[in-house]
Amino acid sequence: MPEQSPKNLPHLVLTGTAHTEVYSPILKPGPKHKHPVRDRQQHGQTLLTKLERIREEAVEVGREQSAFGIDTGNGIYLQFESDPEFDLKLESLESVKEGIELVAVKRVDHRMVATCFVPEGKLDHFFKAFSEYLGRETKTGKPAHQPLVDSISDMRRAVIDALWTDDITLFPADDEVIWWEVWLRVGDDRDAFTGFFKRHAQELGLELGREIKFPERTVVAAKGTKAQIARSITLLNCIAELRRAKETADFFTAMRAVEQFEWIDDALRLIGPPVADAPAVCLLDTGVNNSHPLLDVGLNAEDMDAYEPAWGVRDHKGHGTEMAGLALYGDLTEMLATKDPIPLVHRLESVKILPPVGENHPDLYGAITEESVARAEVFAPHRRRVVNLAISTDDKDRGKPSSWSAAIDKLSSGYADDERHLVVIAAGNTARENRHLYPYSNMTDGVQDPGQSWNALTVGAYTEKCCIDEAEYPEWQPVASYGDLSPCSCTSMDWEAGWPLKPDLVMEGGNMAIDPQTGLADHVDSLDLLTTNRDFTAKPLVTTGDTSAATALVSRMAAIIQAHYPDLWAETVRALLVHSADWTPAMMDRFANGKRGGIRNLLKCCGYGVPSLDRAIWSARNSLTMIVQDSLQPYEKQKSDFKTKDMHIHAIPWPVEVLQDLGDIPVEMRVTLSYFIEPNPARRGWTRRYRYASHGLRFDVKTPEETLEQFRQRINRAAYEEEMGIKSRSDARRWVVGPDLRGLGSIHSDRWQGTAAELAVRGYIAIYPVIGWWRERHRLGRWNKKARYSLVVSILTPQEEVDLYSVVQNMVAATVEIAD
């Protein structure tokens, strides 16, 4: 048998490495809720007086509802407000037993504002709490219900402003007609609530659009004025939140032809078509002109559809065809220059989601995305696919989930049908007129909706294109230097704390050049990517760029990984792409090497860096990658309590003797954990009890100084610290990202750097759960679900003659033989 090449070795997929243990975080009292100091009698009486006035208003609302023909579901919305810099006791505002529901939470002028729906007759719940606050003490001698009552600064019947949870700058004028996102409560019967709203909303003059379903909310698009919506709130009592429906931004670039048909003819002789069951990149875009000779080989007519069949499937604008060329071949400047065979291992699909005339009315783009992916699955239900979405809208959400980003999280997670999807999204582009201000324009233009999706791979752009023809463009200079962030790439620098750091990756998106006459940034053909043109009979090739081009390149990588490893999950393909990524020297110099903000700002601007297809697919003898696909049950019910249940401790096959022999040689271990969360995007405060993510998982690795038992004990403490917001105390200094930063989102990747001797005794990795709405919102009935995850572990040594791979491969083979 010939000896294997030291490179291009398949990754090792491990089985049976996990030992499941009962997981129980260390129980300690949680942090005390801070509340202002109050004059007990004065404060309690003031709240009782206000509540009595609200009860009188509720009677009048009931009369209005009866006059309108509504005799069920009566109730009222209450708005509670805290003092500046203090929080409301959110968990005490809601009462499932009484049917009192916390529907919306936001911050206004440093005050927390919470809105609750209180059913008819249930105001007594608050009357009782306020009265007992005045007249009863707890066993410790403090007023009853003090954390709740003292946290309330003011209280009133809620009006339309109280349910607005979007950016305040988007709030419409009084007579402005807009499309609203109406977030409906679900209650005990989702369909009854939704049908009730739809019937009566039309009577109030609202035009209705599509809907999306989430665990505790149904989102309906409705067109109307503020007065119509306010009337709906008063009469219908099923609205939880209001946001503005999103309109897509113009993301198309000006295209110019730069190449000739002869290139294509030469390339066609080298291209090998994909097999029938090859995985696909599914383009949600402007359609594709698959008659282009370079695309005909990879996109069949039966694999093309449109969200609205009347639109047709052909590309009316050009963008979809441009993305198709990149998603199938990459940058054509490289493909057309080669003389080697070009075997295609993946294919394309296309679902047109933008109309040929005008625009989609600002309906729910989440519903459009869900329906479009479903259409692709109809014509190839068993095909593996990567969904490519290069359309985005504004950056007003600043990391907070929107109906669109949450719909993508739901689609990715398989919430409805248990079918997971890998979705690759463009981070969005900076304003072109400001790109001469690079890099400051990158810092101020935020990643655009739906790029904040937790489960999707959000792609920004970097560039290696810096060559300008001095004869044609004398004294023009590239905006970005080689290997740096592209001028087009949006970042999450201005996002609020606690949300995932985006983008996840960056890929080539082209560069721009400064016109010496104007001082402004402009396009130069040599700084763009080459791709296929819609109008190919006149100009077969055009230039393109920006984050949409970068997204198509990453989607192509993902489909190639699926072709090489057909049994890998969507979560694992995502993990391998992030795991393979690295920062360029230019990125490190700008953001990390002693610069203010360090790794955090590097992640916010460049994600985990530039992915490498070679590293994502292949191991080497001195660079070994191992893959684990597993699942655990994060939570369980014990009597009436819902608690954490399982953790996994993986005994990874570890080349101990080889590493010990290397001694003080520097080595690196990289660990990536990837899983998909189910979203709960109701803006209920996202505090400990009200979480967006269904569950969270974390990883940790045994340190050289710990015994296995000490490692177990530390993991329990780590989970408690995560829940309480205390910073981890593991060997964080040895990790590049560190446990606090890597815990954001649903993909966690980090590198440990040290000596080979130290790494030799680190072969145990724990995966453990942290809090999520599956546990806290247990009445939704998903507390006992299992959570899938992918774990990727690499060991890298600079010593090329060292053979880590064969040692571990033999250990894995021996384990399989014993199991058989």
Side-chain angles (χ1 to χ4, degrees), residues 742-814:
R742 74 178 182 229
L744 300 172
S746 63
I747 186 161
H748 317 300
S749 188
D750 208 347
R751 312 168 191 215
W752 178 92
Q753 297 172 334
T755 68
E758 291 173 314
L759 185 60
V761 288
R762 296 183 66 97
Y764 290 93
I765 299 178
I767 308 296
Y768 59 91
V770 295
I771 199 169
W773 67 259
W774 277 355
R775 193 188 85 175
E776 299 303 292
R777 310 298 293 167
H778 48 78
R779 64 185 180 84
L780 298 176
R782 300 180 81 81
W783 54 267
N784 59 348
K785 279 184 63 67
K786 283 198 167 185
R788 287 196 342 185
Y789 66 86
S790 301
L791 178 66
V792 181
V793 183
S794 291
I795 305 173
L796 301 88
T797 172
Q799 308 296 105
E800 293 188 5
E801 69 278 6
V802 172
D803 188 357
L804 300 170
Y805 188 93
S806 297
V807 173
V808 175
Q809 184 182 40
N810 291 335
M811 295 171 69
V812 172

Side-chain angles (χ1 to χ4, degrees), residues 691 698 717-726 739 743 768 770:
R691 295 289 174 120
R698 300 291 182 267
R717 183 170 67 250
Y720 161 74
E721 291 172 347
E722 166 95 14
E723 190 164 327
M724 295 297 107
I726 302 170
Y768 59 91
V770 295

Side-chain angles (χ1 to χ4, degrees), residues 585-602:
M587 295 173 193
M588 292 293 291
D589 183 62
R590 179 183 296 280
F591 296 104
N593 292 335
K595 301 295 194 302
R596 186 174 181 181
I599 294 296
R600 177 182 291 273
N601 288 348
L602 180 61

Side-chain angles (χ1 to χ4, degrees), residues 417-452:
D417 56 9
D418 214 33
E419 291 293 327
R420 276 72 165 183
H421 299 82
L422 178 58
V423 183
V424 185
I425 300 177
N429 300 322
T430 60
R432 292 188 186 179
E433 64 271 17
N434 294 331
R435 292 184 187 177
H436 64 288
L437 301 176
Y438 174 91
Y440 303 105
S441 54
N442 300 80
M443 307 301 117
T444 56
D445 285 13
V447 169
Q448 297 171 353
D449 186 26
Q452 68 271 39

Side-chain angles (χ1 to χ4, degrees), residues 35 146 298 488 606 816:
H35 53 77
Q146 184 182 31
C488 68
C606 304
V816 171

